[in-house]
Amino acid sequence: TVRSSNILTSSSTALSSKTKQKPILMPTEIWLTDTSNSDYFNLYPDPIERFQAVNKHHESILATRIIPTSVSQGGGKVKVLDVHFQSSKTAPIVLNHFLPSARRTYDEIWIITGSGHHVGTNTHQKKEERGVLFNVVQKYVENEGLEFRIGKDGQGKWGAILVFGYHKY
């Protein structure tokens, strides 16, 4: 199912900068099991292996869901890339490794960053508005010149960025 309120007209060939900045509701189908309290993923020192472990953890859940497209017309294929357990230094490494192939295969790619709302004040983690990972991923997609939309959950929290595949619309 595609929500008609989020569909661009067929004459639209690119997202305007105004549209790009307008947040889009994240589909509930991409809400994943909470892994924020798991120390298991920290056992992977290599960021690529850690990314693969986090995303493998979600495979069985995502396999049972049909994720609707949020913007692309006529449906399409949607991919979820969860960058939880990455740092501001390793998230770009992971995105460089996995995002290009996802963009070749999928129409829409949701990069799950979380909102950073669970980060305590007395930890080694840095707290920023919208969350450190969210800010890093947004800067990454902007620097790469990718078309994207900011995702918010049903509670209005930032938590993901929607990037478009090479063959969108």
Side-chain angles (χ1 to χ4, degrees):
T1 312
V2 179
R3 286 183 289 280
S4 61
S5 62
N6 293 333
I7 297 176
L8 297 177
T9 64
S10 58
S11 63
S12 205
T13 56
L15 294 174
S16 71
S17 59
K18 186 176 182 180
T19 303
K20 187 188 303 183
Q21 299 310 317
K22 182 180 176 189
I24 189 166
L25 183 64
M26 296 163 42
T28 56
E29 293 84 355
I30 69 169
W31 296 355
L32 301 168
T33 305
D34 185 20
T35 56
S36 63
N37 295 320
S38 174
D39 288 332
Y40 170 76
F41 299 109
N42 291 320
L43 298 174
Y44 293 90
D46 179 75
I48 301 296
E49 290 175 1
R50 186 169 51 249
F51 173 85
Q52 290 172 321
V54 168
N55 285 273
K56 185 168 180 58
H57 176 77
H58 301 309
E59 276 180 8
S60 62
I61 295 166
L62 290 172
T64 65
R65 299 178 181 175
I66 297 172
I67 304 170
T69 55
S70 296
V71 175
S72 301
Q73 292 184 6
K77 297 191 305 184
V78 181
K79 177 74 172 168
V80 175
L81 301 177
D82 186 349
V83 295
H84 278 98
F85 294 94
Q86 298 299 326
S87 69
S88 59
K89 292 180 182 175
T90 63
I93 294 167
V94 165
L95 292 174
N96 282 335
H97 190 84
F98 292 98
L99 189 55
S101 64
R103 291 189 68 224
R104 283 190 294 275
T105 308
Y106 296 91
D107 301 292
E108 297 182 359
I109 302 95
W110 281 99
I111 303 171
I112 310 298
T113 64
S115 62
H117 70 275
H118 67 279
V119 175
T121 54
N122 273 341
T123 71
H124 69 284
Q125 291 179 299
K126 186 177 172 187
K127 190 164 180 113
E128 291 182 6
E129 182 182 359
R130 299 185 184 180
V132 172
L133 279 178
F134 180 90
N135 292 333
V136 166
V137 171
Q138 182 176 358
K139 185 175 181 179
Y140 174 89
V141 297
E142 287 172 347
N143 288 344
E144 293 293 315
L146 304 179
E147 293 187 43
F148 69 95
R149 295 283 296 273
I150 293 171
K152 282 189 171 185
D153 67 15
Q155 298 175 350
K157 294 180 182 172
W158 310 92
I161 293 181
L162 175 63
V163 174
F164 299 100
Y166 291 121
H167 45 78
K168 66 173 180 47
Y169 311 118

